[in-house]
Amino acid sequence: MHIAYSVNDVPIRLTFERWCHITENHDDLAGSFYDVLETIEKPEYVLRGNKGTLKAVRNVGNRKWLVVIYREMQTSDGFIITAYFLNNTPKGELLWTQK
């Protein structure tokens, strides 16, 4: 299990079981384990997701975006739900942006 800290300083867990689940559905992420963690720690912006989730977003070049969906359960615990690449700018309510 690895932990990355969100922009709210909440530790966000990424277990190997969850990583296997993510890469089974998004095989283009197979070599991006640390990119996913870095997106939690250093996003370009954070959007509101569905049902209390958050989306950490980072541009990875060529108009391609890495989106990591996660949940902050408490101030001391959270976890990554999924991640994927997008070819379009992700949409949603802006909650935080890099200055």
Side-chain angles (χ1 to χ4, degrees):
M1 178 173 69
H2 282 72
I3 293 176
Y5 287 83
S6 73
V7 295
N8 295 322
D9 205 30
V10 175
I12 306 296
R13 294 177 276 123
L14 176 56
T15 64
F16 289 111
E17 177 182 68
R18 177 52 53 179
W19 179 246
C20 289
H21 176 78
I22 292 169
T23 55
E24 282 175 6
N25 294 297
H26 306 281
D27 59 352
D28 54 342
L29 277 172
S32 302
F33 182 85
Y34 291 104
D35 293 326
V36 168
L37 293 171
E38 186 174 330
T39 299
I40 291 291
E41 293 197 340
K42 298 177 184 171
E44 289 184 25
Y45 52 91
V46 176
L47 304 172
R48 184 180 311 280
N50 294 325
K51 300 180 181 177
T53 62
L54 301 167
K55 298 178 190 177
V57 179
R58 188 165 59 102
N59 186 299
V60 292
N62 293 331
R63 291 189 246 171
K64 192 171 180 181
W65 299 86
L66 176 56
V67 180
V68 182
I69 309 295
Y70 65 102
R71 183 181 304 271
E72 293 179 346
M73 301 295 291
Q74 311 166 10
T75 57
S76 61
D77 185 43
F79 60 92
I80 291 175
I81 298 169
T82 192
Y84 51 86
F85 287 116
L86 275 181
N87 291 324
N88 300 318
T89 305
K91 296 184 173 137
E93 180 186 351
L94 181 64
L95 299 177
W96 181 92
T97 187
Q98 186 180 47
K99 294 179 182 174

